[in-house]
Amino acid sequence: METSEIIKKVRKIEIKTRGLSSNIFAGQYHSAFKGRGMAFSEVREYQFGDDVRDIDWNVTARFHRPYVKVFEEERELTVMLLIDVSGSLDFGTQKQMKRDMVTEIAATIAFSAIQNNDKIGVVFFSDRIEKYIPPKKGRKHILYIIREMLDFQPESKRTDVKQAVEFLSSVQKRRTTAFILSDFFVRDDFQQSLQICNRKHDVVAIQVYDQRAKDLPDVGLMKVVDAETGHEQYVDTGSKALRQAYHKYWVNRQSLLEDTFNKSNVDHVSVATNEDFVKALMLLFKQRS
């Protein structure tokens, strides 16, 4: 993509997503994510009604009476965007490509974050860690992130969410709020890694999908290409049995994904490329408030 074209696209995305984050998401983002990060402040003697899980056993042993840790709300968060850049994101039969929607959602979250004085960082992942942008504040930093999202060329076309969440756990020592933006077209189980990561951080999953992943149109013989493996085959979409089997596969896949998120205690939302992602984000923020 030409530099001038990228600059135009960055500016267009900034105007749209900055407006959304200012007018719609400012309050919702704050109530949904502020106050989740707690920093250790001091210890004091145990009082009736205190949570026994907050007892500081080292101090208690030293003074021979129970002491508890006192925490205070951290005034700023670190927000990490884990962005899937695998081949399957370069697909869209409706209003836009999945990758375009992911870029807009990521930019909206990023502008919401800096309006609350939070740092924002990014991990681009496929079946490997493609690029890590450490968390920083400011508009200039976000414009750099958007530019990278528009022009980034991954080394691999495959997906591995497990790699991404394990990398987050290792690279971010302090508690962060992490958004995973992906279509979650994965072949490997990542539940255990996600569960471990969500104990340390506050992980949120946003699935972007195309309607054609859910239902095949009745258009006769159609060539289907796996964007991640390159495998090609022809399918007869005129077959009702095939269309039903295809839809059933989607339903089962979504059920397994939902189960993974629920068992990992991860808040999540799904949005199709022909839908309004604003509604999806509002729903996500509402269920966390």
Side-chain angles (χ1 to χ4, degrees):
M1 203 185 291
E2 293 288 329
T3 306
S4 59
E5 195 184 335
I6 292 172
I7 291 167
K8 272 187 203 169
K9 279 200 165 191
V10 169
R11 184 73 187 128
K12 193 177 174 184
I13 288 170
E14 183 192 9
I15 290 166
K16 179 178 179 179
T17 58
R18 201 175 190 182
L20 284 173
S21 61
S22 299
N23 303 326
I24 301 171
F25 294 121
Q28 281 85 352
Y29 170 90
H30 183 88
S31 59
F33 298 103
K34 280 294 181 184
R36 298 281 173 144
M38 304 299 285
F40 172 69
S41 174
E42 60 182 350
V43 292
R44 62 162 170 77
E45 276 199 66
Y46 178 87
Q47 296 170 5
F48 179 75
D50 285 338
D51 192 331
V52 292
R53 291 173 296 184
D54 291 335
I55 291 176
D56 187 319
W57 294 107
N58 291 331
V59 178
T60 297
R62 198 178 309 146
F63 292 101
H64 306 292
R65 54 184 186 273
Y67 276 78
V68 292
K69 295 175 183 175
V70 178
F71 296 87
E72 63 180 19
E73 182 181 327
E74 289 184 305
R75 272 167 286 282
E76 68 175 40
L77 294 176
T78 296
V79 177
M80 290 298 301
L81 301 172
L82 277 59
I83 299 174
D84 183 352
V85 291
S86 63
S88 62
L89 272 289
D90 290 320
F91 180 76
T93 62
Q94 308 291 311
K95 283 165 65 178
Q96 61 186 158
M97 295 276 211
K98 286 186 278 183
R99 189 178 305 284
D100 295 335
M101 181 173 270
V102 163
T103 300
E104 288 190 5
I105 293 172
T108 303
I109 293 168
F111 279 118
S112 299
I114 62 161
Q115 279 175 26
N116 281 277
N117 203 34
D118 296 335
K119 291 179 185 172
I120 187 105
V122 177
V123 176
F124 290 133
F125 72 94
S126 54
D127 62 350
R128 64 195 71 178
I129 303 306
E130 296 276 357
K131 188 179 180 77
Y132 170 57
I133 302 174
K136 281 172 69 177
K137 295 182 185 181
R139 174 178 173 267
K140 192 176 174 184
H141 180 60
I142 289 178
L143 295 182
Y144 165 65
I145 288 170
I146 295 170
R147 193 170 72 243
E148 285 295 296
M149 285 193 284
L150 287 171
D151 202 39
F152 188 78
Q153 298 299 317
E155 288 181 21
S156 174
K157 289 185 177 293
R158 295 172 183 264
T159 316
D160 187 347
V161 175
K162 186 169 174 278
Q163 284 257 5
V165 293
E166 286 177 356
F167 177 78
L168 177 70
S169 293
S170 65
V171 80
Q172 286 297 321
K173 302 305 175 192
R174 293 183 68 190
R175 184 173 174 81
T176 68
T177 296
F179 293 87
I180 309 174
L181 290 96
S182 174
D183 55 12
F184 293 95
F185 276 11
V186 293
R187 291 167 173 82
D188 302 312
D189 180 31
F190 60 92
Q191 190 210 308
Q192 191 178 11
S193 298
L194 185 63
Q195 205 165 359
I196 292 166
C197 185
N198 197 42
R199 283 189 202 130
K200 184 179 178 183
H201 302 293
D202 182 12
V203 183
V204 179
I206 300 173
Q207 182 193 27
V208 173
Y209 68 93
D210 188 272
Q211 196 64 31
R212 287 291 173 265
K214 194 175 179 180
D215 294 295
L216 275 177
D218 182 358
V219 292
L221 206 60
M222 184 169 78
K223 185 163 112 173
V224 178
V225 182
D226 187 317
E228 299 198 358
T229 64
H231 177 72
E232 297 180 6
Q233 70 179 93
Y234 282 90
V235 295
D236 180 13
T237 62
S239 164
K240 188 179 178 182
L242 176 78
R243 293 198 308 274
Q244 286 175 340
Y246 185 86
H247 181 75
K248 188 178 178 183
Y249 171 75
W250 162 264
V251 170
N252 290 341
R253 217 180 126 275
Q254 285 299 104
S255 178
L256 285 170
L257 188 60
E258 186 97 3
D259 197 44
T260 295
F261 293 143
N262 289 338
K263 284 180 178 174
S264 307
N265 202 27
V266 165
D267 291 328
H268 55 280
V269 72
S270 294
V271 57
T273 52
N274 62 331
E275 292 175 346
D276 182 3
F277 73 80
V278 171
K279 287 180 184 172
L281 286 187
M282 294 288 273
L283 178 69
L284 179 66
F285 291 0
K286 191 178 177 183
Q287 71 187 57
R288 293 177 58 89
S289 298

